[in-house]
Amino acid sequence: MAKVKVLYFASARDAADQKEYETIALEDGTRATLQAVIDKIKASHKGIASVLETSAISYNQEYCDSEQLHEIEVKDNDEIAIIPPVSGG
């Protein structure tokens, strides 16, 4: 079972019930990929799916492309961050 830390920023934090971070555990028998973690986040926080569509995902402090989500295998104590776009001027 892989346990990873998920950090939520800005609107992702709002959609995750104001949590700054949480630990997500993937059950034994589940292929421990970054996509499996994202799927579990979506199942746990109903309003977050639309935020994830426009957010950047980082894995151990490196940004990932959406094509990589099925390829990246997560391990215990890895860190994933959900970073929505920011506005500014």
Side-chain angles (χ1 to χ4, degrees):
M1 174 185 325
K3 291 182 181 178
V4 298
K5 183 177 184 178
V6 179
L7 305 172
Y8 299 102
F9 294 93
S11 60
R13 184 177 297 166
D14 295 338
D17 305 319
Q18 302 297 319
K19 293 180 182 176
E20 183 175 329
Y21 70 90
E22 69 180 319
T23 300
I24 292 190
L26 296 175
E27 293 80 25
D28 290 335
T30 300
R31 186 166 171 248
T33 63
L34 191 48
Q35 183 63 55
V37 175
I38 298 298
D39 291 343
K40 190 144 187 181
I41 292 168
K42 287 179 183 177
S44 298
H45 305 291
K46 302 301 179 198
I48 205 165
S50 62
V51 174
L52 287 168
E53 290 176 11
T54 59
S55 294
I57 307 291
S58 76
Y59 172 70
N60 291 334
Q61 300 181 2
E62 292 194 28
Y63 286 104
C64 305
D65 291 326
S66 58
E67 299 85 38
Q68 296 175 295
L69 298 180
H70 292 284
E71 300 168 7
I72 296 174
E73 300 264 343
V74 298
K75 300 172 292 308
D76 275 343
N77 302 313
D78 282 347
E79 182 183 87
I80 298 161
I82 311 300
I83 308 165
V86 295
S87 62

